[in-house]
Amino acid sequence: MKLYLVIPCYNEEEVLPETSKRLKEKYTALIGAGKITPDSKIVFVNDGSKDKTWEMICELHKADPMFRGICLSRNKGHQNALMAGLMTVRSECDAAISMDADLQDDIDAIDEMVDRFHEGFEVVYGVRSSRKKDTFFKRTTAQGFYKVMRAMGVETVYNHADYRLMSRRALEALSEFDEVNLFLRGIVPLVGFKSTQVTYERGERFAGESKYPLKKMLAFATEGITSMSVKPIRMIATLGFLVFLVSIGVLIYSIIRKFIGETVEGWAFLAVSIWALGGIQLLAIGVIGEYIGKIYLETKHRPKFIVSEYLNDD
Ligand code: UDP
Ligand code: MG
């Protein structure tokens, strides 16, 4: 099997020498064991780095054809860089594994991913067994994120980042999702096919700094929710309905107050109007939102289905 590794790199000059060395060792071992063919490649995607990352990738390629490089015209973010790499190599390989440049994802899990592929699985998710090595902050925010995603009805694999193997067929299917707002963790489960998980221990970044500061993490989470789910729109309609119910409560309450006789003239009318109108307005926005949500999903032009097998005697 011809295996390609796709690694997005943004300002990773500090980690590249070590990463390339260790990956080369891993590949040599896998080739020696006959698990992957000698024409397998390690592909670095330079995501518009401002440091020497691209120069280093060029050097690596020159010294060893096992390494390949793809350079993006400017910084487009992790998800786009990943997609660029996967889409560029998809027709050349039997399967591709995506991983980060910092080796936080244990590269020994590659062996198991390859084994699973040979067993017939087309998507193999790398799942962190624990987050002991992550900072308390990263751990809580990340786990909160998975919970929110689930509450929003987005199917994601718990504790799985973008460390995964995809077969060529799965990659071809992925290419049919031509949305611009890319949230791969949500899209890959939609691609389907026979999938499984392998667990690994997530390590620390061995050099350099995280390229995902809080600001980017929040943007990423928002992207994930708004690109995968129209539930927030539905919440407006629900809220409108609730406010409308409250207005009925207020109506009853103000009638009672009126009969007890302790109200100012016109108060009941005003109180009920405010609640009822507010409720109706929110409900109306919710209904409009429901249609906008539909338009939104239509504009994504996602495939309606992906055929995995066709029994045909011709
Ligand atoms: N990355 C990228 N473009 C960006 C930001 C990050 O290609 O704009 C790459 C980065 O080089 C790394 C991967 O995405 O290979 C994950 O980044 P990082 O390790 O900093 O994220 P963390 O592990 O802290 O979530
Ligand atoms: Mg990292």
Side-chain angles (χ1 to χ4, degrees):
M1 144 215 209
K2 197 168 168 186
L3 176 72
Y4 274 42
L5 262 185
V6 175
I7 304 160
C9 305
Y10 177 60
N11 295 346
E12 298 286 13
E13 60 181 11
E14 282 169 273
V15 306
L16 266 182
E18 180 68 18
T19 300
S20 53
K21 189 176 127 252
R22 285 211 232 157
L23 287 176
K24 166 102 199 179
E25 284 165 15
K26 179 98 250 164
Y27 255 49
T28 314
L30 282 168
I31 292 169
K35 284 191 182 181
I36 62 174
T37 51
D39 54 358
S40 298
K41 307 281 177 211
I42 299 169
V43 186
F44 293 106
V45 183
N46 173 35
D47 184 20
S49 300
K50 295 182 184 71
D51 61 3
K52 293 247 165 355
T53 299
W54 180 242
E55 283 77 2
M56 290 170 90
I57 295 172
C58 294
E59 288 296 317
L60 283 169
H61 173 67
K62 220 187 285 168
D64 189 340
M66 184 182 274
F67 294 108
R68 288 204 176 160
I70 296 169
C71 190
L72 300 189
S73 62
R74 54 154 295 163
N75 181 256
K76 287 304 252 172
H78 177 223
Q79 299 287 295
N80 289 310
L82 207 54
M83 193 68 171
L86 292 174
M87 292 302 109
T88 308
V89 304
R90 72 173 196 267
S91 52
E92 295 173 40
C93 59
D94 296 318
I97 294 180
S98 51
M99 67 185 295
D100 291 352
D102 55 10
L103 297 188
Q104 278 187 289
D105 304 320
D106 181 11
I107 60 169
D108 289 330
I110 293 176
D111 299 70
E112 219 181 311
M113 286 186 177
V114 170
D115 290 344
R116 293 292 100 80
F117 175 82
H118 285 302
E119 284 162 20
F121 291 98
E122 306 217 26
V123 180
V124 187
Y125 298 101
V127 173
R128 291 164 201 168
S129 57
S130 77
R131 282 179 174 266
K132 271 184 253 139
K133 299 249 174 65
D134 272 350
T135 59
F136 173 76
F137 177 72
K138 179 110 195 174
R139 190 169 58 228
T140 25
T141 47
Q143 286 178 342
F145 168 67
Y146 289 108
K147 295 212 176 92
V148 173
M149 290 303 281
R150 190 162 306 168
M152 290 291 152
V154 184
E155 199 186 319
T156 48
V157 179
Y158 192 68
N159 266 345
H160 159 70
D162 284 303
Y163 188 25
R164 76 177 83 80
L165 175 144
M166 290 180 84
S167 70
R168 180 179 183 164
R169 212 156 65 119
L171 290 171
E172 292 295 345
L174 178 67
S175 73
E176 287 185 42
F177 287 75
D178 35 45
E179 52 206 86
V180 186
N181 299 297
L182 203 55
F183 185 71
L184 283 169
R185 277 166 230 188
I187 298 174
V188 177
L190 295 180
V191 169
F193 292 120
K194 217 172 141 196
S195 65
T196 185
Q197 305 181 353
V198 302
T199 51
Y200 66 93
E201 193 86 34
R202 179 157 160 110
E204 279 165 79
R205 197 176 234 284
F206 68 87
E209 282 171 8
S210 172
K211 308 294 181 292
Y212 264 103
L214 181 63
K215 207 172 124 217
K216 266 198 200 171
M217 253 161 59
L218 286 176
F220 184 60
T222 316
E223 175 85 0
I225 292 164
T226 55
S227 77
M228 297 304 296
S229 166
V230 291
K231 245 194 180 164
I233 294 178
R234 277 200 192 125
M235 283 154 82
I236 299 177
T238 315
L239 190 66
F241 186 67
L242 289 179
V243 172
F244 193 71
L245 284 186
V246 172
S247 84
I248 294 173
V250 174
L251 178 74
I252 295 167
Y253 172 69
S254 38
I255 289 173
I256 294 171
R257 290 271 305 251
K258 189 163 172 66
F259 280 110
I260 297 172
E262 34 174 69
T263 56
V264 181
E265 193 60 37
W267 168 81
F269 177 72
L270 278 181
V272 174
S273 305
I274 290 168
W275 281 94
L277 276 178
I280 290 168
Q281 280 172 348
L282 276 179
L283 206 56
I285 294 174
V287 171
I288 295 173
E290 192 61 40
Y291 285 94
I292 295 182
K294 288 272 179 329
I295 297 170
Y296 177 58
L297 292 179
E298 290 286 342
T299 54
K300 283 184 181 286
H301 291 294
R302 283 183 179 168
K304 289 195 229 9
F305 51 81
I306 293 160
V307 175
S308 84
E309 239 109 14
Y310 175 30
L311 298 179
N312 182 339
D313 289 334
D314 298 339

